[in-house]
Amino acid sequence: MLRGRLPVTHMSSAIAPVKPSGTAGPKEVELILVKEQNGVQFTSSALVSPSGQTHPSGEERETWGKKIDFLLSVIGFAVDLANVWRFPYLCYKNGGGAFLVPYLFFMVIAGMPLFYMELALGQYNREGAAGVWKICPIFKGVGFTVILISLYVGFYYNVIIAWALFYLFSSFSGELPWINCNNTWNSPNCSDLNATLLNDTYKTTPALEYFERGVLHLHESSGIDDLGLPRWQLTSCLAVVIVVLYFSLWKGVKTSGKVVWITATMPYVVLTVLLLRGVTLPGAIDGIKAYLSVDFLRLCDAQVWIEAATQICFSLGVGFGVLIAFSSYNKFSNNCYRDAIITSSINSLTSFFSGFVIFSFLGYMSQKHNVALDKVATDGPGLVFIIYPEAIATLPGSSVWAVIFFIMLLTLGIDSAMGGMESVITGLIDEFKFLHKHRELFTLFIVVFTFLISLICVTSGGIYVFTLLDHFAAGTSILFGVLIEAIGIAWFYGVDRFSDDIQEMIGQRPGLYWRLCWKFVSPCFLLFMVVVSFATFNPPKYGSYYFPTWATMVGWCLSISSMIMVPLYAFYKFCSLPGSFCDKLAYAITPETEHHLVERGEVRQFTIHGFQGSRSSAQIRCDRPGLTNVGVFSDF
């Protein structure tokens, strides 16, 4: 370290190691600046990590090969099939362009803050969804909650990709199999595409019968209690999907980060091509006008706001543990704030853009069948496996357009499925360290286990199991999980401390707006959504089939099985900690890196700080010599 008398207004710097020379890993150095002005010396110093990859704890971790690998992975996960089959329909149904008002409102006050929170949480702690809760051990149960949710979603989400693959194979033919009623699976009720049958409830289209009878073989099942055996065609497609997922994930982000270069970008190419074709069709402009028509009176309907809030909750992918897992492989100094703004904005813009593609074809179908647009507008799997294939079948060169469309569905589904799998794999191998050395085998175990459970969904009655899983696996439970996550970070770990962590990473402290959202707005929003999800619950049904009571109970058990991890783990953790009640409480809500302070009776005081520096206590008093009061705190 060099410090000398320097000429006026000159500055010098010296670098001194702050780690012993024998320390392994990248060296952290102290940069000292010495400035002399008018006979007075000014010094300042800063710690510099040359690689930007090392956490303050000194832990090493695999990182993304390139920054763009991470961005594409997040975008690929967040932009999924729901962007195509859910948002455009909601927009049309709820006032067209007016729907963007509540959608963008909830995006700003809840979607982006929660998205930013998860990226920062994973990047700073550099562990999966369970391991990050070393910051407040009693909340680790919520990590297992989101891991279970991601696992449950994988049971049926991979089946959607298998359907798309089946349709893709079927598209390589001179004539698409859903274009007429001359097939072995068709029923007497099937009517030709050229007939105006949408007004006739007793007739079905070839596209509908191909999906339900040709692909699913639904006519061979009487309900969820009559599933039958797995269909070998769908089982084969599902196996191909599982193999692709395994070889995309087995080496971690080094391989998955390359796969998303195709799976995350291909949908945008295909959507653009389909839009260029769609706008040339008769009736397309009418469909787009209906999509964008503004009806501000719809904003007076509370249901519109509820559906906008629900769409925000599920479209960004918060609460699945995927954002935490992906960001945990970032360099420590990565600008997660910028990433959150970019990726969440792209997700919403993609949803809006896809609406033009969908409604250009729906407008065409409406004019072709001479029916109102609301007769053909729908959402969910029916849109992409029935209505859209039916529209494509009427185009010249329909087989080519079908291949292009189902390739898009495949790529939309694969990277979202990869994200869910990565959440489970990263979350568990970070929690159980011995699995790190056996990632390939553990990944194989997870994908094979998922495949075996998914076989239930490719039976003749598998669509009923699919519907039940879709209804319960990631509904109320994921809202509950994100709520507990937000409370744990904002009210127990502390907004002020969380902001310090972010400043340590990116050199910039989150503004008052973000801290207010994390502390008050987002938790209140999520609590409202949890209450609404219970209040507006409707039993699942598929078409005209209503599920028996026992099936609904099974669905609720599935949902509760993930949510119950929060109180179960909290109870386990509290009972397993040493000492008196106050000692246990101190250990449970104090970061693991500070447990030595608890042992010495030097627990930091948990208080609530006001906006103007005032301080009010919110403490759980534990009157024992040497132990500081313990409670909940937050700073602004």
Side-chain angles (χ1 to χ4, degrees), residues 407-461:
I407 285 176
M408 181 191 72
L409 292 190
L410 279 175
T411 54
L412 278 172
I414 284 290
D415 46 16
S416 296
M418 285 167 53
M421 289 282 193
E422 188 61 58
S423 170
V424 176
I425 295 166
T426 296
L428 293 178
I429 65 175
D430 283 344
E431 180 63 19
F432 305 102
K433 303 297 185 183
F434 69 92
L435 293 174
H436 271 288
K437 297 179 180 179
H438 310 286
R439 180 186 170 100
E440 292 88 350
L441 286 176
F442 184 65
T443 301
L444 180 63
F445 169 77
I446 292 294
V447 297
V448 170
F449 176 71
T450 302
F451 170 75
L452 294 176
I453 300 297
S454 298
L455 288 177
I456 305 174
C457 295
V458 296
T459 58
S460 298

Side-chain angles (χ1 to χ4, degrees), residues 179-181 189-200 203-206 365-371 376 390 394:
I179 204 170
N180 56 53
C181 297
N189 290 330
C190 182
S191 181
D192 190 80
L193 272 176
N194 295 322
T196 305
L197 54 88
L198 291 173
N199 290 321
D200 190 344
K203 295 294 184 180
T204 57
T205 65
M365 288 293 292
S366 173
Q367 179 170 311
K368 183 174 181 62
H369 290 294
N370 195 29
V371 295
V376 294
E390 183 178 338
T394 65

Side-chain angles (χ1 to χ4, degrees), residues 362-406:
L362 292 181
Y364 163 66
M365 288 293 292
S366 173
Q367 179 170 311
K368 183 174 181 62
H369 290 294
N370 195 29
V371 295
L373 187 66
D374 59 3
K375 294 292 184 180
V376 294
T378 184
D379 65 342
L383 175 63
V384 295
F385 292 111
I386 299 173
I387 302 298
Y388 217 87
E390 183 178 338
I392 289 174
T394 65
L395 301 178
S398 56
S399 294
V400 175
W401 291 108
V403 168
I404 292 174
F405 177 70
F406 289 112

Side-chain angles (χ1 to χ4, degrees), residues 564-579:
I564 204 171
M565 297 302 294
V566 174
L568 280 182
Y569 187 87
F571 179 77
Y572 157 75
K573 190 67 177 179
F574 194 82
C575 292
S576 64
L577 290 169

Side-chain angles (χ1 to χ4, degrees), residues 157-191:
Y157 194 86
N158 295 335
V159 176
I160 303 176
I161 309 173
W163 292 344
L165 187 61
F166 186 93
Y167 268 80
L168 178 63
F169 290 149
S170 301
S171 300
F172 290 100
S173 60
E175 184 179 72
L176 294 175
W178 56 86
I179 204 170
N180 56 53
C181 297
N182 302 325
N183 303 287
T184 56
W185 57 80
N186 290 125
S187 72
N189 290 330
C190 182
S191 181

Side-chain angles (χ1 to χ4, degrees), residues 331-622:
K331 294 181 179 180
F332 184 72
S333 58
N334 175 66
N335 192 335
C336 54
Y337 169 69
R338 180 181 57 202
D339 294 345
I341 299 298
I342 292 174
T343 52
S344 58
S345 299
I346 289 177
N347 175 71
S348 296
L349 289 173
T350 303
S351 297
F352 185 64
F353 175 66
S354 67
F356 289 91
V357 182
I358 297 300
F359 274 86
S360 64
F361 278 85
L362 292 181
Y364 163 66
M365 288 293 292
S366 173
Q367 179 170 311
K368 183 174 181 62
H369 290 294
N370 195 29
V371 295
L373 187 66
D374 59 3
K375 294 292 184 180
V376 294
T378 184
D379 65 342
L383 175 63
V384 295
F385 292 111
I386 299 173
I387 302 298
Y388 217 87
E390 183 178 338
I392 289 174
T394 65
L395 301 178
S398 56
S399 294
V400 175
W401 291 108
V403 168
I404 292 174
F405 177 70
F406 289 112
I407 285 176
M408 181 191 72
L409 292 190
L410 279 175
T411 54
L412 278 172
I414 284 290
D415 46 16
S416 296
M418 285 167 53
M421 289 282 193
E422 188 61 58
S423 170
V424 176
I425 295 166
T426 296
L428 293 178
I429 65 175
D430 283 344
E431 180 63 19
F432 305 102
K433 303 297 185 183
F434 69 92
L435 293 174
H436 271 288
K437 297 179 180 179
H438 310 286
R439 180 186 170 100
E440 292 88 350
L441 286 176
F442 184 65
T443 301
L444 180 63
F445 169 77
I446 292 294
V447 297
V448 170
F449 176 71
T450 302
F451 170 75
L452 294 176
I453 300 297
S454 298
L455 288 177
I456 305 174
C457 295
V458 296
T459 58
S460 298
I463 188 65
Y464 300 122
V465 180
F466 174 93
T467 303
L468 194 70
L469 288 171
D470 185 44
H471 202 82
F472 288 102
T476 302
S477 56
I478 200 166
L479 296 172
F480 172 80
V482 182
L483 172 63
I484 300 301
E485 187 178 283
I487 291 173
I489 291 173
W491 288 89
F492 284 80
Y493 185 62
V495 168
D496 187 61
R497 184 166 186 147
F498 187 59
S499 299
D500 289 341
D501 294 345
I502 294 175
Q503 184 175 21
E504 187 177 350
M505 291 188 294
I506 68 176
Q508 179 183 355
R509 188 177 178 82
L512 179 62
Y513 166 76
W514 298 104
R515 302 199 302 274
L516 272 174
C517 287
W518 289 331
K519 180 67 177 179
F520 299 110
V521 181
S522 295
C524 290
F525 167 80
L526 290 166
L527 179 61
F528 167 76
M529 290 306 302
V530 170
V531 173
V532 165
S533 68
F534 279 110
T536 60
F537 172 77
N538 290 312
K541 70 186 187 75
Y542 179 78
S544 60
Y545 176 81
Y546 287 86
F547 285 75
T549 303
W550 69 262
T552 302
M553 295 301 296
V554 169
W556 274 116
C557 289
L558 182 77
S559 185
I560 292 171
S561 69
S562 58
M563 293 189 285
I564 204 171
M565 297 302 294
V566 174
L568 280 182
Y569 187 87
F571 179 77
Y572 157 75
K573 190 67 177 179
F574 194 82
C575 292
S576 64
L577 290 169
S580 64
F581 175 85
C582 290
D583 290 328
K584 291 175 181 289
L585 183 60
Y587 279 116
I589 63 178
T590 301
E592 292 179 359
T593 55
E594 296 181 1
H595 278 188
H596 63 284
L597 299 179
V598 180
E599 295 171 2
R600 298 205 303 261
E602 300 175 6
V603 181
R604 59 188 171 88
Q605 188 172 358
F606 292 71
T607 57
I608 295 178
H609 289 221
F611 291 98
Q612 303 298 327
S614 61
R615 179 174 299 194
S616 60
S617 173
Q619 304 167 355
I620 301 173
R621 297 195 62 87
C622 294

